[in-house]
Amino acid sequence: IHFGYVDSWMWSGHRTGILPLVGWIYGVDPGPEWLCRFQILLVSLGAIPAYGLGRIVIGRTLGGLAGMLLYLGYPPLAAIALQDYQDLVVGLPLMMLAIWQSRRKKTWPFVATALLAMMAREELIPMMVLVGLAVPGSIRQRLSWAAKATAVALLYSGALWVLGLSFSGYDNPMMSHTGDLFLQWPPQWSRTPDEFRNFYLPFLQPLHFLAVLSPASLLPALGGMFFHLTAPAHGGVDAHWRGHIHHMAPVALFLIVATIDGVGLLVKASRRTGRWRTPLLALAGVAGLAVTITLARPWMNFMGLSLQLWPTTTVERAPEWDLAEMIPADAVAATDTWASLTIANRRYAYTYDESLRDKLPGAGIEALEWILVNRKDRKWLRAATRATGAEIIGESQDYVLVKLR
């Protein structure tokens, strides 16, 4: 029901190769809550390849646990995972899986996982090419892995291009938001000092400032970061934590990878300390864990989270969810964008302040059977309550549910 996007194999205006799989999983319990739980679960599973990467880079089981800590204990990653469903966010654990396979120097597992990662969203295609350059080794070895990644990227993007030749709709999905960089040249810095201080700098917490020790691992993030810093204001690329921050998801992932690499470099450098090496590493590990736990509390408060031993469901529930449940499953329904999630799992669902005029041009309230209308939208409220045969079924402080026919 999103405004401007067509009902085709595109999802959120992007080429998403894993859409059939996610769509099937969505069918388990259609609705935004299940979709968010699925996203949280999948992002959490990225800790497994993070463990594998930590074992390779830092060494042994403790290195693997350090990799998991740097992944699961990264507050910006949690903030991204807890937002609304975004295929770019789902691509994070898949990218981590591909990076892990590249560090294992396993060609075919890398090819398979790289393809899977790119299928999450077309914006990950150029980033995957740069992943090969971050594989440790000589220049020749790095170029070899970059060539493998490039071959997979060209194969997949070529397939997307052929499949999309006959497509006409919202925009050119092969360009996506990245196309703005070419439509407005030269690009201009669009961020304020406050946004830099309050939004971008926290991505270096709690231990992820160590990412600067491994600039090669940060290389794939430069494109995404450049795009984010130069995106037009109010263009859907937000630089505040309450907004849509999913465009920073790949940057966050590569910061995690670079931090794991940075810790690995420090562990290798500790060999020069001789007999002090073990106590120094133990002290550093405890300090890293303590810092992560200490910073967890303000982030949890910011995101409205409370620590629980077992997953629980909040007892607070907006009454609009109960109103929306009164609408028959096969009815043509509409509400405004603020309450759109309450009807998002229905086949015939629109936002009367956006998608109705886009998907049913010229149609008005006569095209609807039910409407959950915001009291502030007085024009729509009058039209709904005065329609022939209209019946008010339920009310909340902010909304009125009207059966039109």
Side-chain angles (χ1 to χ4, degrees), residues 1-5 170 234 244 333-341 343 349-364 368 371-372 377 380:
I1 62 175
H2 196 289
F3 169 68
Y5 295 132
Y170 175 69
H234 310 294
H244 284 88
T335 187
D336 66 339
T337 53
W338 293 103
S340 59
L341 284 179
I343 62 171
Y350 304 91
T351 49
Y352 60 75
D353 53 347
E354 283 194 341
S355 68
L356 182 63
R357 65 173 176 262
D358 181 70
K359 294 191 175 185
L360 297 177
L368 305 174
I371 185 170
L372 181 63
D377 297 328
W380 280 96

Side-chain angles (χ1 to χ4, degrees), residues 40-363:
I40 292 168
L41 173 63
L42 195 60
V43 172
S44 299
L45 289 176
I48 297 175
Y51 173 86
L53 182 62
R55 278 187 62 94
I56 295 172
V57 175
I58 304 174
R60 301 184 180 180
T61 302
L62 288 177
L65 294 175
M68 292 184 71
L69 174 68
L70 293 170
Y71 183 87
L72 292 175
Y74 188 41
L77 184 70
I80 291 170
L82 289 170
Q83 285 221 325
D84 59 331
Y85 179 89
Q86 291 286 348
D87 33 65
L88 187 58
V89 177
V90 171
L92 294 190
L94 304 177
M95 287 283 285
M96 180 63 82
L97 191 61
I99 292 171
W100 175 37
Q101 295 303 323
S102 71
R103 300 300 181 87
R104 293 180 66 217
K105 305 296 179 68
K106 302 291 185 180
T107 298
W108 290 112
F110 168 72
V111 169
T113 53
L115 179 61
L116 187 63
M118 289 186 294
M119 289 176 67
R121 187 148 153 175
E122 80 284 346
E123 290 179 30
L124 295 177
I125 294 175
M127 296 184 186
M128 184 54 66
V129 173
L130 296 174
V131 164
L133 292 176
V135 178
S138 64
I139 295 297
R140 184 176 180 179
Q141 290 174 319
R142 290 175 187 264
L143 292 176
S144 173
W145 280 97
K148 296 173 184 178
T150 301
V152 180
L154 289 176
L155 178 66
Y156 179 62
S157 58
L160 283 183
W161 188 267
V162 172
L163 291 172
L165 282 176
S166 60
F167 174 82
S168 61
Y170 175 69
D171 63 2
N172 180 356
M174 293 305 297
M175 292 175 64
S176 185
H177 292 295
T178 314
D180 293 337
L181 294 177
F182 300 97
L183 297 177
Q184 179 181 327
W185 194 264
Q188 299 178 355
W189 183 281
S190 61
R191 300 305 175 196
T192 66
D194 284 342
E195 288 173 332
F196 185 79
R197 180 173 59 255
N198 298 324
F199 180 73
Y200 293 106
L201 279 183
F203 277 88
L204 299 179
Q205 297 175 352
L207 303 172
H208 295 72
F209 61 91
L210 296 175
V212 299
L213 297 177
S214 182
S217 303
L218 285 175
L219 183 63
L222 293 181
M225 192 65 184
F226 176 77
F227 160 69
H228 211 276
L229 292 173
T230 58
H234 310 294
V237 183
D238 296 332
H240 54 89
W241 292 102
R242 301 291 183 186
H244 284 88
I245 60 175
H246 61 276
H247 293 100
M248 283 293 290
V251 177
L253 178 72
F254 291 119
L255 273 167
I256 295 173
V257 173
T259 303
I260 294 175
D261 287 339
V263 172
L265 290 173
L266 291 177
V267 170
K268 291 179 180 178
S270 68
R271 295 172 182 170
R272 303 174 183 176
T273 60
R275 62 178 182 175
W276 294 100
R277 187 182 187 222
T278 299
L280 283 175
L281 288 178
L283 181 62
V286 172
L289 183 61
V291 170
T292 301
I293 294 175
T294 301
L295 285 182
R297 177 58 61 183
W299 277 93
M300 289 179 65
N301 293 337
F302 169 74
M303 293 185 285
L305 303 177
S306 59
L307 189 62
Q308 303 285 340
L309 291 177
W310 303 103
T312 58
T313 301
T314 177
V315 296
E316 298 179 5
R317 177 181 168 97
E320 286 72 31
W321 289 96
D322 297 322
L323 292 177
E325 288 180 353
M326 300 181 188
I327 304 174
D330 58 346
V332 181
T335 187
D336 66 339
T337 53
W338 293 103
S340 59
L341 284 179
T342 64
I343 62 171
N345 62 330
R346 301 176 180 277
R347 183 175 183 180
Y348 304 104
Y350 304 91
T351 49
Y352 60 75
D353 53 347
E354 283 194 341
S355 68
L356 182 63
R357 65 173 176 262
D358 181 70
K359 294 191 175 185
L360 297 177

